[in-house]
Amino acid sequence: QVQLVESGGGLVQPGGSLRLSCVASGTRFSTAAMGWYRQAPGNQRELVAGISRGGNINTSDPVKGRFTISRDNAKNTVYLQMNSLKPEDTAVYYCQLRTYYGGYEYWGQGTQVTVSS
């Protein structure tokens, strides 16, 4: 059974930083594509950043230059380093895993990020 456990969310002031972590279990992490998504109240869930099994990265325009996704296959973990946070970054952030074989998608439970003074 695939499980994704996120951590690292919280309340931060504008301009601050947070690092989200997502630990995966139950599947071969190194072959999976990983992504971070977010959903603000009243909005659809949107892609923040993704990283392929080969390390290719794509980052959405609203966070480009501020957020960085990375992965540590030895720890079955994907990270999202968030710098220069803005109030509009406030959302629940979700980790997604997509398997190489079959393309099955799995989601974490989400972690709240609130940017406010």
Side-chain angles (χ1 to χ4, degrees):
Q1 181 178 357
V2 177
Q3 286 192 318
L4 302 173
V5 180
E6 300 118 331
S7 61
L11 172 64
V12 63
Q13 292 186 342
S17 298
L18 284 174
R19 187 175 82 154
L20 306 183
S21 300
C22 172
V23 180
S25 61
T27 188
R28 186 178 291 182
F29 180 82
S30 61
T31 64
M34 300 298 300
W36 285 99
Y37 289 72
R38 68 185 182 185
Q39 187 167 18
N43 291 355
Q44 290 188 337
R45 192 172 296 188
E46 62 177 3
L47 175 68
V48 175
I51 184 166
S52 72
R53 65 185 188 132
N56 293 319
I57 290 172
N58 66 300
T59 308
S60 67
D61 286 344
V63 306
K64 199 164 291 185
R66 300 187 297 120
F67 291 12
T68 303
I69 189 171
S70 62
R71 65 190 297 161
D72 185 339
N73 289 341
K75 295 182 178 180
N76 286 5
T77 302
V78 63
Y79 304 97
L80 185 68
Q81 178 66 44
M82 305 186 294
N83 298 328
S84 302
L85 282 159
K86 304 176 181 180
E88 51 263 44
D89 295 319
T90 295
V92 178
Y93 284 70
Y94 296 91
C95 172
Q96 184 210 52
L97 179 149
R98 188 171 71 251
T99 63
Y100 179 72
Y101 298 102
Y104 299 105
E105 295 181 352
Y106 299 90
W107 295 89
Q109 81 285 355
T111 185
Q112 176 71 46
V113 172
T114 303
V115 185
S116 174
S117 55

